Amino acid sequence: MSDQAFVNSYPGERLGRPEKGPGSVGRLGRRVGALLIDYAAATLIATAFLGYDQFALPGEAGWTLFAPLLVFAALQIVFIPFIGGSPGHRIVGMRLELETGGWVGLWRPIVRTLLLVLVIPAVVFDPDQRGLHDKAARTILVRA
C-alpha cells in the first residue's frame, strides 16, 4: 500500500471484513430494524411491569417516562455478552464482536450502551458504518 490514505471500496474493508455474508458489516437497514425491535420490546416490558403510560403528560409520568429507555439499556447490557447481541440484533441476523473478532466481554456492552442511549454517538458513523459508540467500545456489528 502506498502512503495515500486507504479508501474503502465497501464498509469493513479496512477492518479485514468480507464485503458480503457472515462477518460482513451489518448495514443500516438491519441496524435500524434491530433498534426498532429492541425499543418496541422495551416499551412493552415497561408498560407491562413498570407502569409506563405512553399517553401520560410528562409531569404526570414521573420516573416511568424513562422506563422504556432503562429497559432498553438493560436488554443491551444483559444480552450482548451472553447471546452475542441484543434480541433485535439476533432476530435480524447480526451479532456484536470485537473489531478483531471474538467475544466482547462484560464491560464493553456497558460502555457501548451508555453511549447508545445518548443517541448522538450512534448516528455519527465512519466509512465502515461504525457509530462512535462502537468505536469507543472497539466493537463492530456484523452479519451472523
Side-chain angles (χ1 to χ4, degrees):
M1 179 165 42
S2 68
D3 292 335
Q4 296 176 347
F6 189 84
V7 178
N8 283 351
S9 59
Y10 62 88
E13 183 179 14
R14 288 182 313 145
L15 302 170
R17 297 293 176 160
E19 184 174 2
K20 296 179 182 176
S24 64
V25 172
R27 300 301 200 270
L28 185 60
R30 286 179 187 260
R31 296 167 83 91
V32 170
L35 181 68
L36 292 174
I37 290 167
D38 287 338
Y39 205 79
T43 301
L44 289 173
I45 293 167
T47 301
F49 298 105
L50 301 175
Y52 173 66
D53 179 5
Q54 65 268 24
F55 302 112
L57 297 173
E60 298 170 353
W63 75 272
T64 63
L65 182 65
F66 299 102
L69 187 61
L70 295 173
V71 172
F72 173 82
L75 289 173
Q76 300 290 312
I77 291 169
V78 169
F79 283 103
I80 287 174
F82 297 107
I83 66 169
S86 70
H89 293 149
R90 301 308 287 165
I91 288 169
V92 300
M94 293 190 303
R95 69 177 184 274
L96 191 73
E97 294 183 347
L98 290 176
E99 290 173 336
T100 56
W103 187 57
V104 296
L106 297 173
W107 69 269
R108 281 182 170 84
I110 295 169
V111 170
R112 182 182 187 276
T113 300
L114 291 175
L115 292 170
L116 179 62
V117 299
L118 294 176
V119 179
I120 299 301
V123 297
V124 176
F125 49 90
D126 68 7
D128 293 312
Q129 294 185 357
R130 291 175 55 218
L132 294 178
H133 63 301
D134 277 325
K135 289 180 73 77
R138 302 196 56 161
T139 57
I140 185 169
L141 259 173
V142 297
R143 291 186 62 184

